[in-house]
Amino acid sequence: MGSLPNTAAEAQQLDLEDSSRTERVQWLINSPEPPSLWQELVGTVKGSSLTPGKKNSSSNAKGKHAMSFLRGLFPILSWGRNYKASFFKHDLMAGLTLASLSIPQSIGYANLAKLDPQYGLYTSVVPPLIYALMGSSREIAIGPVAVVSMLLSSMIPGLVDPAIDPIGYTSLVFTVTFFAGTFQAIFGLFRLGFLVDFLSHAAVVGFMAGAAIVIGLQQLKGLFGLSHFTTKTDVVSVLTSVSKSVKHEWYPLNFVLGLSFLVFLLVARFIGKRNKKLFWFPAIAPLLSVILSTLIVYLTRADKHGVKIVKHLKGGLNPSSVHRLQFNGTHVAEAAKIGLISAIVALTEAIAVGRSFASINGYHLDGNKEMLAMGFMNLAGSLTSCYVATGSFSRTAVNFSAGCKTVVSNIVMAITVILALELFTRLLYYTPVAILASIIMSALPGLIDFNEAYRIWKVDKLDFLACLGAFIGVLFKSVEIGLLVAVAISFAKVLLNSIRPAVEQLGRLPRTDIFCEVDQYPMAVKTPGLFTLRINSSLLCFANANFLRERILKLLTQDENGTEETAKDRVQILILDMTNVMNIDTSGILALEELHTELVSLGMKLVMVNLRWQVIHKLKLSKLVEKIGADGIFLTVAEAVDACLASKLAINNV
């Protein structure tokens, strides 16, 4: 007698739970339509705008919107208001230290890019000034870098030989720089930063290491004082060219002078790493090397004994190069292609450097604003005799160590380079080319990261394969082949994970309503009569739909040892957890329909859990939700299991 009220109360509680569960399922089934593809595209473009979305007709509001737009485009208007005089002391010291490193490096990188030395100095003037107005990083140092210089010198000579037509070659470099800036600005304006991510971290590590070795080998031309050298960049061609040329035109004084100062630079670098307070020593060591070696050559007249010197270096401010841009020639398409590759490589290095130092100082770097700033600075640079500039890791590290507070250090550096162009270019006439080669070679060890490559090997073998592919491609073929191999391997990895996604069986963790993979959590308990699976793929599409359907059916007809048996006699309901599936196409829908049909023929029922917005919308349009029924749709796995158990018990009791 006493058990009747309890039974009635339990029945009432079950009815309430069923009612609540039904209501929650209706929330899912009757969810509003998701935005269309066109609405998403329009929203993306609107979201990329630097202006606020809300409109207000008042003149005061318009003024605020205009100011907000300007602050978004020129971050200096925001932080400049709070700039303190105490900051300038730090920025001045950092800028001067940066200039002492930048001047000799810029001349060396221009030589690496097969340009006259002054173009490297020009590139350290206009781009840093533009970036100071538009950039959001406080520490990044802007100017020419080794990897981009090598990329230009390896790709453009195939179109115009700098030895035969130096003016045409230089004009094409300016055109490539214009295209690079255009692409970078477009990436930032339309939030296309994901294109830069095509070069994965592992690929960048391998690419940088391969490029560093190739750049180092190319400097053997300057170190040995060779005149005839291959235009190819692969290691075999370079070493073959060196071995052939050394027999006929090797000047020992070049090698002795270059090697001596290379040892000095590497020792200075070692001292700076061991003692952080002496950060300034490796920073000024390149400038000291240039000054000392120039004096040695001038006083001993070593240029008369085979030592190759820079000779004339054109001084003065950046001349206009607008008239030198080539948009009607036969090489425009190739220039655009090289510009795109240069834009991506330059952005990858700059954003990686900027974010590294931003995280150290505890602030966020907006990648899209950085792309916009890089784009405009290279556009301006292409009009003022500059080639592609970006953020340099070695100079940024020096800038950071020197205690810079803001990008004012870039302004100080640019002004110092201007003074050097106006006053000191004549003094560089006797600077030996071997010293420029030594300065470039001394900066290369920072591009080779053995520890990171080893970490990638330990963490992800496919990532290491991309790293190795980029390294070998750059080293033994060319820069573009190395990049192509790295991107191809990275895409193959993504496709492999998409085409063959995992399907995991779920079980309930003891004393909880949490369902987890039984392989990862052996203590998870499987529910008799129910087979619960989770699809670990964000997209159910033509590439993986049939594989997933066959995989699910195979799991249904296997016991724990993998031997075929009539599992259909004990499995009555298949529960599919669709939490990870963000979208579905018609092939995916067809695969689910076929799975539902095959399960019905086996006397089983299909139940689906947590269908995401796009998925439930498309399943409703295809009428699959009607076929499965509202009693086959649930919000959580726990609700689905409890409901299926209740229905099984009811059937068994009947």
Side-chain angles (χ1 to χ4, degrees):
M1 293 289 291
S3 64
L4 290 176
N6 291 336
T7 304
E10 289 174 1
Q12 186 177 8
Q13 181 66 26
L14 287 173
D15 289 340
L16 287 173
E17 289 180 1
D18 284 341
S19 176
S20 177
R21 188 180 297 128
T22 302
E23 183 183 16
R24 288 196 293 273
V25 170
Q26 290 304 315
W27 294 345
L28 175 62
I29 294 177
N30 297 323
S31 57
E33 290 189 11
S36 65
L37 178 61
W38 173 250
Q39 289 172 324
E40 289 182 350
L41 290 174
V42 171
T44 301
V45 173
K46 285 183 177 179
S48 68
S49 174
L50 295 171
T51 57
K54 295 182 181 179
K55 294 182 179 179
N56 195 317
S57 58
S58 69
S59 59
N60 188 35
K62 287 181 179 179
K64 288 182 178 179
H65 291 170
M67 195 61 196
S68 177
F69 172 81
L70 290 174
R71 285 175 182 169
L73 193 59
F74 302 103
I76 194 172
L77 296 176
S78 297
W79 61 261
R81 294 180 303 168
N82 302 318
Y83 191 79
K84 300 176 182 177
S86 59
F87 288 175
F88 184 69
K89 179 180 69 174
H90 297 282
D91 287 334
L92 177 63
M93 181 59 66
L96 292 174
T97 307
L98 197 56
S100 69
L101 176 63
S102 181
I103 291 171
Q105 275 195 352
S106 297
I107 296 172
Y109 291 150
N111 187 47
L112 176 61
K114 293 183 169 58
L115 294 168
D116 291 335
Q118 66 268 17
Y119 293 113
L121 295 175
Y122 294 158
T123 307
S124 294
V125 174
V126 173
L129 292 175
I130 300 296
Y131 182 84
L133 299 176
M134 302 185 67
S136 54
S137 171
R138 302 170 196 164
E139 302 84 15
I140 198 167
I142 299 297
V145 297
V147 173
V148 176
S149 300
M150 191 269 289
L151 190 150
L152 295 177
S153 68
S154 66
M155 298 184 74
I156 298 180
L159 306 176
V160 178
D161 191 338
I164 299 173
D165 185 9
I167 295 176
Y169 176 83
T170 305
S171 298
L172 195 57
V173 169
F174 296 151
T175 307
V176 167
T177 303
F178 180 88
F179 280 118
T182 301
F183 284 121
Q184 289 172 335
I186 290 172
F187 292 164
L189 190 61
F190 293 101
R191 297 184 179 271
L192 301 177
F194 65 89
L195 293 174
V196 177
D197 295 331
F198 285 167
L199 279 179
S200 65
H201 170 68
V204 170
V205 170
F207 172 76
M208 289 294 188
I213 294 175
V214 169
I215 292 168
L217 290 174
Q218 286 190 328
Q219 297 317 299
L220 294 176
K221 175 186 177 182
L223 203 61
F224 286 109
L226 306 178
S227 300
H228 301 89
F229 203 72
T230 180
T231 57
K232 297 180 180 179
T233 59
D234 63 283
V235 62
V236 176
S237 298
V238 172
L239 290 178
T240 302
S241 179
V242 170
S243 63
K244 288 181 179 179
S245 301
V246 163
K247 298 176 182 177
H248 307 290
E249 52 175 344
W250 177 41
Y251 298 100
L253 285 178
N254 279 287
F255 182 74
V256 171
L257 196 62
L259 187 62
S260 300
F261 279 97
L262 176 59
V263 172
F264 168 68
L265 291 168
L266 292 176
V267 169
R269 183 186 181 92
F270 176 77
I271 292 172
K273 280 188 175 182
R274 291 294 298 269
N275 191 339
K276 298 299 181 183
K277 292 182 180 180
L278 296 176
F279 68 89
W280 53 269
F281 184 48
I284 67 169
L287 188 58
L288 286 175
S289 300
V290 169
I291 294 171
L292 291 174
S293 62
T294 302
L295 282 173
I296 291 171
V297 172
Y298 175 74
L299 294 174
T300 62
R301 293 293 187 266
D303 56 308
K304 304 294 185 182
H305 302 283
V307 173
K308 293 188 176 295
I309 57 175
V310 171
K311 295 185 179 179
H312 181 66
L313 195 158
K314 187 178 179 182
L317 295 177
N318 295 41
S320 171
S321 55
V322 176
H323 61 286
R324 301 187 64 176
L325 297 179
Q326 301 176 352
F327 298 122
N328 299 319
T330 57
H331 303 307
V332 176
E334 287 294 324
K337 184 192 81 170
I338 298 170
L340 176 60
I341 296 173
S342 302
I344 293 175
V345 172
L347 283 176
T348 302
E349 182 172 356
I351 291 176
V353 170
R355 284 178 176 168
S356 297
F357 286 93
S359 63
I360 293 173
N361 284 334
Y363 69 93
H364 174 69
L365 196 69
D366 189 328
N368 290 299
K369 285 186 179 180
E370 285 296 288
M371 292 178 193
L372 204 60
M374 296 278 173
F376 277 105
M377 80 179 191
N378 278 315
L379 280 171
S382 69
L383 306 177
T384 53
S385 300
C386 304
Y387 72 98
V388 182
T390 188
S392 163
F393 183 83
S394 60
R395 293 197 293 276
T396 301
V398 168
N399 197 29
F400 174 76
S401 300
C404 73
K405 296 296 182 183
T406 66
V407 285
V408 170
S409 60
N410 274 275
I411 298 175
V412 173
M413 179 202 70
I415 293 172
T416 307
V417 175
I418 290 173
L419 293 175
L421 279 166
E422 289 286 355
L423 304 174
F424 304 121
T425 51
R426 291 182 181 179
L427 301 178
L428 298 175
Y429 182 91
Y430 288 99
T431 301
V433 174
I435 294 305
L436 302 180
S438 299
I439 291 170
I440 293 175
M441 294 176 79
S442 68
L444 297 180
L447 298 178
I448 305 175
D449 195 340
F450 291 106
N451 292 331
E452 186 61 19
Y454 179 66
R455 189 184 71 85
I456 292 170
W457 163 259
K458 288 202 311 182
V459 173
D460 192 321
K461 300 299 186 290
L462 282 177
D463 258 3
F464 182 78
L465 190 60
C467 175
L468 191 63
F471 177 76
I472 293 175
V474 171
L475 203 60
F476 291 99
K477 193 62 180 175
S478 64
V479 173
E480 57 267 38
I481 293 298
L483 291 173
L484 185 63
V485 169
V487 171
I489 294 174
S490 298
F491 266 109
K493 176 187 173 183
V494 173
L495 288 174
L496 186 63
N497 290 333
S498 300
I499 294 173
R500 294 291 184 267
V503 180
E504 303 289 348
Q505 187 173 3
L506 305 182
R508 190 195 298 262
L509 293 180
R511 300 176 297 280
T512 70
D513 281 334
I514 300 173
F515 284 77
C516 299
E517 292 89 344
V518 294
D519 291 335
Q520 183 177 357
Y521 299 91
M523 73 291 298
V525 180
K526 301 176 186 177
T527 307
L530 307 180
F531 202 69
T532 309
L533 296 176
R534 174 179 293 155
I535 297 176
N536 290 330
S537 174
S538 61
L539 183 62
L540 185 55
C541 62
F542 68 94
N544 57 24
N546 283 326
F547 169 80
L548 287 171
R549 180 181 61 81
E550 293 171 3
R551 177 68 177 155
I552 291 168
L553 289 172
K554 187 175 181 181
L555 288 172
L556 275 171
T557 55
Q558 285 182 342
D559 63 8
E560 293 180 354
N561 296 320
T563 57
E564 300 289 335
E565 64 174 36
T566 57
K568 61 183 180 181
D569 293 335
R570 55 187 181 81
V571 176
Q572 300 175 21
I573 301 173
L574 170 65
I575 300 175
L576 275 186
D577 182 2
M578 306 283 284
T579 301
N580 295 329
V581 181
M582 297 293 134
N583 212 330
I584 191 170
D585 68 359
T586 52
S587 298
I589 294 171
L590 181 61
L592 288 178
E593 289 176 345
E594 292 175 353
L595 178 63
H596 175 255
T597 302
E598 292 183 58
L599 290 176
V600 170
S601 68
L602 293 171
M604 302 181 199
K605 179 178 176 60
L606 175 63
V607 169
M608 290 194 286
V609 173
N610 197 13
L611 295 164
R612 310 311 285 262
W613 200 7
Q614 294 282 357
V615 177
I616 187 68
H617 174 65
K618 292 180 180 179
L619 293 187
K620 285 193 296 182
L621 292 177
S622 65
K623 308 297 183 183
L624 183 57
V625 170
E626 292 182 12
K627 293 178 183 178
I628 296 174
D631 60 339
I633 307 294
F634 294 90
L635 274 176
T636 67
V637 176
E639 284 186 356
V641 170
D642 292 342
C644 291
L645 283 176
S647 65
K648 276 183 61 188
L649 290 172
I651 292 172
N652 291 336
N653 289 335
V654 171

